[in-house]
Amino acid sequence: MTTSDQADQADQADQADQASSIPTPRKMLCVVYAAIAVAALITTGSQNVAYFAEPAGYLLDFTNDLKVTPASRLFTADVLLLGLAVAILMVVEARKHGVKFVWLYIAGGFAIALSVTFPLFLIARELRMGSSEAPRLRTTDTILLAVVAALVVGLTIWVCVG
């Protein structure tokens, strides 16, 4: 076994130890992030399919549709600028916590959907944080996040179903 193989094996063992020592609230947060990523993949993927009929014009058709109405322009600008802030946060947090492949998460976000790759990045970040202090939310925060989640899910279904 080479030194590189031994280092990789030690790193994998270290990650396994970190994953097993993660506090329950942090694990639950990872489950929530995973659910968001799956829901985002389903909803964004179902909309991307509309552009696959003519693969050669995918990018042109897609970008032209981003400019059709004031609402689409607003959401496009909002998501692009949010994507920039998210990219900065991801790089800073990746370097701080040793999350690998941060640029793949960012590229995937713009190629697939930020709503898919950002939660995946957050899962990787939570796993790297391991047994450090688990997040603690106030009851009010939990209730308000549940209300926001219900509104977002409702609006997403309403928009995607058409």
Side-chain angles (χ1 to χ4, degrees):
M1 184 178 282
T2 67
T3 306
S4 176
D5 290 339
Q6 289 172 341
D8 288 344
Q9 195 173 31
D11 190 40
Q12 288 172 352
D14 185 43
Q15 287 176 358
D17 288 343
Q18 283 180 339
S20 65
S21 66
I22 294 174
T24 301
R26 196 173 294 287
K27 288 178 185 176
M28 292 305 299
L29 195 52
C30 288
V31 169
V32 170
Y33 290 149
I36 292 169
V38 168
L41 183 61
I42 292 167
T43 57
T44 59
S46 68
Q47 300 307 308
N48 276 329
V49 168
Y51 292 94
F52 292 155
E54 294 184 36
Y58 173 84
L59 191 57
L60 181 62
D61 292 343
F62 183 84
T63 54
N64 282 333
D65 283 354
L66 295 175
K67 304 185 299 180
V68 172
T69 67
S72 63
R73 289 189 293 273
L74 178 145
F75 270 84
T76 299
D78 191 37
V79 168
L80 288 172
L81 293 171
L82 176 63
L84 176 59
V86 165
I88 293 168
L89 176 69
M90 287 170 71
V91 171
V92 169
E93 288 295 299
R95 299 305 177 237
K96 181 177 174 182
H97 298 290
V99 177
K100 297 178 180 180
F101 310 114
V102 67
W103 288 103
L104 290 179
Y105 290 106
I106 293 168
F110 286 103
I112 300 167
L114 289 169
S115 58
V116 174
T117 61
F118 186 57
L120 295 176
F121 169 80
L122 291 174
I123 292 169
R125 178 180 166 268
E126 290 296 323
L127 294 175
R128 294 299 289 183
M129 292 172 75
S131 62
S132 66
E133 186 176 338
R136 292 192 179 120
L137 298 177
R138 296 180 185 139
T139 303
T140 305
D141 293 332
T142 303
I143 292 167
L144 290 174
L145 283 170
V147 168
V148 169
L151 289 171
V152 167
V153 167
L155 282 170
T156 301
I157 291 169
W158 181 72
V159 167
C160 289
V161 171

